Amino acid sequence: METEKKEQQDHQKELEKKSEEIKGDNEYSVILSRVIHEGEEIFKIKNKAMFLSAVIAGLEIGFSYFLICALYYLLNGTIDTTLIFKLFAVVYPVGFILVILGKSALFTEQTSVLALPMLNGQRSIWELFRVWGVVILGNIIGGNIFAVFIGFLAPNLDLFSEGTMVEIGAHVVKEGSWVLFASAVVAGWLMGLLTWLLNSTMNSLTRVVLIIMITGVIGFGGFHHSIVGNIEVFGAFLHSADISFLDYLWFLFLALLGNSIGGAVVVGLFKYRIFESNYEEKV
């Protein structure tokens, strides 16, 4: 354990050394160093604590779903449904603000963060998959609990109906598999970019603005976010015979895969390779 800890510290020092040697890219290297350090700290969290944090994140992100359903229920029949779906961008960021500022473990936020220490040689790919698995499981369980709870409470408070949940879920899964997958890649890409941008500033107000801006784009575009989408589709599955459990699982697989590629490959790999290539040229 001590040897492994020392190796990780050596990797971090090596990264900082490279950062100092790249004179013209100080801000870029500082952000990269922060992201890798953040990822390394996440790897140190025990599985039980990580799982509980992920369950909480799944519950908290549910408030984005709650507001989406409430907005749809309120406006449906008064304006065109296409416009309603675009207006989701206004309320979509709320759950993300709760999760990210509250430091709960959300899979799509941590995808690129956890990939970078692996790319830097500090962690193995199996350690990466282990943490991803714990976080995904917790997010899904938390989200599904929220779907069951709000599906009971909302109709009784006249916030929205079970039919609203079905319509929202059906809208999410209506696309073909390749479109859904590509859309999930974009959502993962944007979430990875959000993580990068959040590490460029410590100002709380700026961080809130960044969260609203990036997740608002996801909501406006209807890009498929695996954790919010999990609640949307599971909620529809609970109240509709037209969406089967296999439909739910297939959506979840495609969304998780797309988000992973968007966050880890497009952002994590490309951002790290830019730094590495620049370092190789400088030295």
Side-chain angles (χ1 to χ4, degrees):
M1 181 66 88
E2 288 298 323
T3 303
E4 181 183 353
K5 184 177 180 182
K6 185 177 185 305
E7 287 176 354
Q8 291 160 6
Q9 291 173 344
D10 289 342
H11 279 297
Q12 188 69 26
K13 289 178 181 178
E14 179 65 22
L15 177 67
E16 292 168 359
K17 179 183 176 183
K18 290 180 182 179
S19 299
E20 292 172 1
E21 292 174 5
I22 301 177
K23 305 299 183 183
D25 281 312
N26 185 53
E27 284 302 314
Y28 191 96
S29 59
V30 166
I31 296 171
L32 181 64
S33 184
R34 283 177 183 169
V35 175
I36 291 179
H37 178 71
E38 180 183 344
E40 185 56 40
E41 291 303 306
I42 293 171
F43 272 111
K44 295 176 183 177
I45 299 174
K46 293 181 179 179
N47 284 345
K48 183 178 180 180
M50 179 66 75
F51 175 74
L52 291 174
S53 179
V55 171
I56 291 170
L59 291 167
E60 291 171 341
I61 205 72
F63 285 101
S64 285
Y65 172 70
F66 159 70
L67 290 172
I68 285 170
C69 289
L71 183 65
Y72 185 87
Y73 183 73
L74 181 66
L75 297 179
N76 190 29
T78 61
I79 61 175
D80 186 72
T81 54
T82 302
L83 180 57
I84 298 176
F85 287 125
K86 297 304 179 186
L87 288 174
F88 284 175
V90 177
V91 297
Y92 197 78
V94 173
F96 290 91
I97 294 172
L98 297 175
V99 170
I100 295 172
L101 296 188
K103 298 295 183 182
S104 299
L106 181 66
F107 170 63
T108 50
E109 188 210 355
Q110 294 186 351
T111 308
S112 59
V113 173
L114 293 171
L116 283 169
M118 186 270 293
L119 292 170
N120 199 44
Q122 295 170 232
R123 295 287 176 171
S124 71
I125 192 170
W126 303 115
E127 290 177 292
L128 174 66
F129 287 157
R130 174 186 61 80
V131 179
W132 276 3
V134 171
V135 174
I136 289 169
L137 181 62
N139 286 169
I140 291 172
I141 291 174
N144 290 353
I145 291 172
F146 187 91
V148 172
F149 173 75
I150 205 68
F152 164 78
L153 182 64
N156 286 285
L157 294 178
D158 198 31
L159 296 169
F160 54 83
S161 66
E162 293 177 354
T164 302
M165 297 173 71
V166 173
E167 290 183 57
I168 294 295
H171 175 75
V172 172
V173 298
K174 69 181 178 64
E175 307 293 350
S177 296
W178 282 108
V179 174
L180 196 157
F181 170 73
S183 173
V185 171
V186 175
W189 178 6
L190 287 167
M191 287 302 297
L193 182 60
L194 175 60
T195 300
W196 186 267
L197 293 174
L198 289 174
N199 278 278
S200 70
T201 178
M202 295 295 109
N203 183 279
S204 297
L205 180 59
T206 304
R207 291 166 71 86
V208 170
V209 170
L210 289 171
I211 296 169
I212 292 172
M213 180 178 70
I214 298 296
T215 59
V217 171
I218 296 174
F220 182 84
F223 300 121
H224 292 79
H225 184 278
S226 56
I227 308 307
V228 178
N230 167 65
I231 306 175
E232 292 172 325
V233 180
F234 187 76
F237 160 71
L238 291 175
H239 305 289
S240 173
D242 294 329
I243 297 178
S244 68
F245 189 63
L246 284 178
D247 292 331
Y248 162 68
L249 290 179
W250 181 241
F251 162 80
L252 195 57
F253 169 74
L254 290 176
L256 287 168
L257 181 61
N259 287 171
S260 301
I261 291 173
V265 178
V266 176
V267 176
L269 183 57
F270 286 5
K271 290 287 188 183
Y272 187 78
R273 282 306 303 159
I274 289 171
F275 174 81
E276 283 286 280
S277 298
N278 198 30
Y279 173 74
E280 289 166 4
E281 290 177 7
K282 296 285 183 178
V283 298

